[in-house]
Amino acid sequence: MRPLIIANWKMNPANSKDAFDLARAVVRGLEGVEADVVLCPPFVYVPQLLPSPNVFIGSQDAFWEQEGAYTGEVSPLMLKNLGCSYVILGHSERRKLGETSQMVAKKIQAVLDAVLVPVVCIGEDIEREMNITLKDIKETDVSKIVFVYEPEGAISTEPNAKPASLEQLERALNRMRTLLPKTATILYGGSVNSRNIQGFMGKGVQGALVGAVSLDAQEFIQLVKNAVSM
Ligand code: PGA
């Protein structure tokens, strides 16, 4: 299986030169590596990052309309026109700022309409979050979505963060699979690093959503290589 590893840079780095250098190091270090990698920088750096045959560009959010009077928002269509191919939606850090599953549902549809791949984060409240977010999405579209099981307490920057145990991951995957088509892509997110990625992959996820470690080019490259050599 070809792993899919998505880098969530969050609100980092602080300047565009560092963003450019980080992306360049990752692209070079992963040349010829049999994995699909997506770099999701803050919106402002999207135009300067160039995709390679195995490193794609994504964003960390998008609005649910394609254009109009929505101060401060960025649309899926704009991201598509800048070369993005993936959009992270419903991350728990955005939910904490007030984003609801109903809002995530509208964003998923808009991202699909722009022919981009939604990367939808699902926390511990699996059934509730999935039922609301998928309620109005066509069955054929559900298989175009990448799902990420990402329990909030596993995110490395949370106080007392702990990655999900392999048993917890297995239980969550079983719950998610009962609600999804067989072909659905499911990733794991939360304190993933080069040493623990193989354990998570061994439970049947197709890859990972990586935060803190994705800001360290060498450690991130090693993580991707370890995912490939499963
Ligand atoms: P982390 O973040 O890898 O630093 O735990 C993951 C995420 O928040 O997407």
Side-chain angles (χ1 to χ4, degrees), residues 8 10 91 93 150 154-157 190-192 209-213:
N8 178 9
K10 308 194 178 183
H91 191 282
E93 288 158 12
E150 187 166 78
I155 295 176
S156 67
T157 45
S191 298
V192 179
L209 177 61
V210 183
V213 162

Side-chain angles (χ1 to χ4, degrees), residues 11-19 45:
M11 202 170 70
N12 301 291
N15 66 71
S16 60
K17 180 178 183 306
D18 288 353
Y45 302 141

Side-chain angles (χ1 to χ4, degrees), residues 18-149:
D18 288 353
F20 182 81
D21 289 349
L22 176 57
R24 188 177 52 182
V26 169
V27 166
R28 284 190 182 161
L30 292 176
E31 225 172 283
V33 172
E34 299 282 323
D36 289 324
V37 169
V38 185
L39 302 182
C40 301
F43 288 133
V44 287
Y45 302 141
V46 165
Q48 73 183 62
L49 304 193
L50 293 176
S52 77
N54 62 347
V55 179
F56 303 90
I57 308 303
S59 77
Q60 300 170 19
D61 188 28
F63 193 56
W64 59 71
E65 296 289 347
Q66 306 297 355
E67 55 187 347
Y70 305 101
T71 302
E73 296 294 347
V74 173
S75 80
L77 183 62
M78 293 170 184
L79 293 164
K80 168 127 185 138
N81 289 339
L82 285 174
C84 270
S85 31
Y86 292 77
V87 180
I88 298 172
L89 293 173
H91 191 282
S92 61
E93 288 158 12
R94 295 208 51 80
R95 291 182 194 255
K96 270 196 220 158
L97 295 173
E99 186 152 297
T100 63
S101 294
Q102 285 81 358
M103 290 158 81
V104 175
K106 291 206 275 184
K107 291 179 172 191
I108 294 173
Q109 191 56 61
V111 166
L112 288 166
D113 290 345
V115 200
L116 296 164
V117 179
V119 177
V120 179
C121 301
I122 302 289
E124 258 336 333
D125 207 353
I126 294 175
E127 286 75 13
R128 192 184 150 276
E129 285 179 27
M130 295 211 12
N131 284 331
I132 297 174
T133 42
L134 298 181
K135 190 163 79 61
D136 296 320
I137 311 283
K138 283 201 282 294
E139 176 100 23
T140 47
D141 280 343
V142 174
S143 54
K144 298 177 187 158
I145 299 172
V146 171
F147 292 90
V148 187
Y149 170 59

